[in-house]
Amino acid sequence: QVQLVQSGAEVKKPGASVLVSCMSSGYTFTNYYLHWVRLAPGRGLEWMGVFNPAIGETSSAQRFRGRVTMTRDTSAGAVMELSNLRSEDTAIYFCARSGSIYGAFDIWGQGTLVNVSS
Amino acid sequence: DIQMTQSPPTLSASIGDRVTITCRASQSISNWLAWYQFKPGKPPQLLMYKASTLESGVPSRFSGSGFGTQFTLTISSLQPEDSATYYCQQYNTHVFGQGTKVEVK
């Protein structure tokens, strides 16, 4: 079964960093791009960036540049790190795959709630 | 930057009703549009891509249309399991609409 499984919920303080992992199964991990998207209260869905597991290349949205890092951590998994957290980063974070860098997202992870609170 | 505007923000309809959600792009995006269904606690699901191509496994009561700047997602006969939030996405730039929450009465 093709799926993406994400790590569990996190509670972080402002200024800290958070790591969210995304583990694939049922397909060849390096054949698809992996995107990170978040759903924040009052701000809807925001695309954060994309990671090419085959070559390790990344591209991120302007508003997250300098704060987001996307890497591969296993043969079938990836990690997104968001640093310098603020309260506005409280959101559900999703990983999702696409067959091409500009393709639709056909498989999504279940989401990871990150709560940033002092 | 391309903006995607969805309407209505919420809608409530009865089982069996025909429901239409609209997504408008601020400039032409050809047919590079996808629709997704979000339900709490479940992985989001791709419903439609290239504006009108039904993703495998998605019920045929879902259909999509449009080209350029105006797009629609239609549910021909609303079912209880269709209660969800629906988002459009311009997937060349990965910009999403604000979402439409559908409630089944």
Side-chain angles (χ1 to χ4, degrees), chain A residues 57-112:
Chain A
E57 199 171 69
T58 64
S59 176
S60 56
Q62 178 76 34
R63 64 173 295 169
F64 296 104
R65 272 175 213 158
R67 284 211 300 147
V68 69
T69 305
M70 295 166 281
T71 55
R72 184 175 176 181
D73 71 338
T74 69
S75 60
V79 171
M80 185 276 296
E81 180 178 14
L82 188 62
S83 62
N84 193 20
L85 291 168
R86 31 228 195 213
S87 58
E88 312 88 87
D89 293 319
T90 294
I92 302 173
Y93 290 76
F94 296 94
C95 59
R97 78 168 197 181
S98 67
S100 65
I101 193 167
Y102 299 121
F105 303 167
D106 67 338
I107 300 293
W108 293 65
Q110 82 278 18
T112 297

Side-chain angles (χ1 to χ4, degrees), chain A residues 35 45 47 101-102 105 108, chain B residues 36 43 46 87 89 91-92 94:
Chain A
H35 300 259
L45 283 166
W47 178 78
I101 193 167
Y102 299 121
F105 303 167
W108 293 65
Chain B
Y36 301 93
L46 172 67
Y87 292 90
Q89 180 205 26
Y91 53 83
N92 269 5
H94 310 301

Side-chain angles (χ1 to χ4, degrees), chain B residues 24-47:
Chain B
R24 189 173 68 250
S26 59
Q27 63 190 76
S28 178
I29 60 169
S30 183
N31 65 344
W32 299 116
L33 188 98
W35 290 96
Y36 301 93
Q37 180 189 68
F38 276 61
K39 293 182 178 180
K42 296 184 71 175
Q45 183 182 11
L46 172 67
L47 300 176

Side-chain angles (χ1 to χ4, degrees), chain B:
Chain B
D1 290 357
I2 296 175
Q3 316 276 343
M4 304 300 295
T5 304
Q6 254 182 269
S7 60
T10 63
L11 72 86
S12 181
S14 300
I15 294 171
D17 282 355
R18 183 181 183 88
V19 164
T20 298
I21 300 168
T22 297
C23 183
R24 189 173 68 250
S26 59
Q27 63 190 76
S28 178
I29 60 169
S30 183
N31 65 344
W32 299 116
L33 188 98
W35 290 96
Y36 301 93
Q37 180 189 68
F38 276 61
K39 293 182 178 180
K42 296 184 71 175
Q45 183 182 11
L46 172 67
L47 300 176
M48 207 80 54
Y49 60 96
K50 284 189 180 177
S52 60
T53 302
L54 193 69
E55 172 72 348
S56 175
V58 175
S60 58
R61 64 180 179 274
F62 290 91
S63 64
S65 65
F67 189 91
T69 62
Q70 197 86 4
F71 302 87
T72 60
L73 175 71
T74 299
I75 308 173
S76 60
S77 177
L78 193 67
Q79 299 301 304
E81 59 268 32
D82 300 334
S83 181
T85 302
Y86 294 83
Y87 292 90
C88 63
Q89 180 205 26
Q90 198 284 306
Y91 53 83
N92 269 5
T93 59
H94 310 301
V95 174
F96 291 88
Q98 305 96 320
T100 296
K101 187 171 183 178
V102 173
E103 175 199 87
V104 181
K105 293 182 202 172

